[in-house]
Amino acid sequence: MKKILLSAMIAIITLTSCHNENTAVNTVETMKTPQMENFDKAFKSLGDPQNRPTEEERKRNTSELNDRRKALLVPASKELILSTGITEAELTRKTGGDMSQIIVWATQIYMQKSDEIRKNIKSDK
């Protein structure tokens, strides 16, 4: 009887510790805002076969994204910027509608929010 009770207690402790690990891992993902997730997805979509650079684009051998690929990132970038309280008018005024500036600004916001999430997780531990 004592062996069964001891085994049950060990099993419960093991399951509880595994559950706590999963909770900590999931916290990183759950702390991302929907706008951050969309921004992630937009960047990941650049790797999709239909969004990869064409042969001609590769021949130019530039590190900068072309307008076709930038256009894939702009909607999610704008969404992320606007989620910070910036108005559409202010966004247009500061970037002049330049896709590169919009993407760079959104990337800065994304990095800042990611740093805040990491700091919050470290302070919770």
Side-chain angles (χ1 to χ4, degrees), residues 90-123:
E90 192 174 357
L91 170 66
T92 304
R93 184 177 50 77
K94 286 188 176 182
T95 63
D98 183 317
M99 290 190 290
S100 294
Q101 288 184 15
I102 292 169
I103 294 166
V104 167
W105 190 5
T107 302
Q108 291 169 344
I109 291 169
Y110 182 87
M111 297 304 287
Q112 180 183 12
K113 287 186 175 212
S114 295
D115 287 343
E116 289 172 10
I117 290 171
R118 278 189 223 99
K119 287 177 185 174
N120 287 338
I121 290 172
K122 283 182 181 178
S123 67

Side-chain angles (χ1 to χ4, degrees), residues 5 7 17-19 21 43 63 83 94 103 106-107 109 114 116 121 125:
L5 200 54
S7 297
S17 70
C18 290
H19 176 71
E21 286 178 19
F43 263 100
S63 60
S83 74
K94 286 188 176 182
I103 294 166
T107 302
I109 291 169
S114 295
E116 289 172 10
I121 290 172
K125 288 185 178 181

Side-chain angles (χ1 to χ4, degrees), residues 6-120:
L6 183 60
S7 297
M9 287 175 51
I10 291 173
I12 290 171
I13 291 170
T14 303
L15 289 174
T16 303
S17 70
C18 290
H19 176 71
N20 288 344
E21 286 178 19
N22 288 338
T23 303
V25 171
N26 291 336
T27 305
V28 175
E29 292 304 313
T30 58
M31 290 181 79
K32 285 186 179 178
T33 65
Q35 294 83 6
M36 290 177 73
E37 290 174 3
N38 290 340
F39 191 71
D40 271 342
K41 289 177 188 173
F43 263 100
K44 289 176 184 172
S45 76
L46 293 177
D48 293 346
Q50 69 273 18
N51 299 333
R52 290 188 184 141
T54 63
E55 189 64 36
E56 181 182 318
E57 293 165 349
R58 274 185 247 144
K59 285 180 183 176
R60 290 188 207 137
N61 200 21
T62 63
S63 60
E64 188 174 323
L65 294 173
N66 62 24
D67 288 344
R68 176 181 66 86
R69 297 181 81 207
K70 286 179 189 176
L72 296 170
L73 300 175
V74 168
S77 297
K78 282 184 174 181
E79 181 184 8
L80 182 59
I81 293 167
L82 295 174
S83 74
T84 65
I86 301 292
T87 64
E88 185 80 40
E90 192 174 357
L91 170 66
T92 304
R93 184 177 50 77
K94 286 188 176 182
T95 63
D98 183 317
M99 290 190 290
S100 294
Q101 288 184 15
I102 292 169
I103 294 166
V104 167
W105 190 5
T107 302
Q108 291 169 344
I109 291 169
Y110 182 87
M111 297 304 287
Q112 180 183 12
K113 287 186 175 212
S114 295
D115 287 343
E116 289 172 10
I117 290 171
R118 278 189 223 99
K119 287 177 185 174
N120 287 338

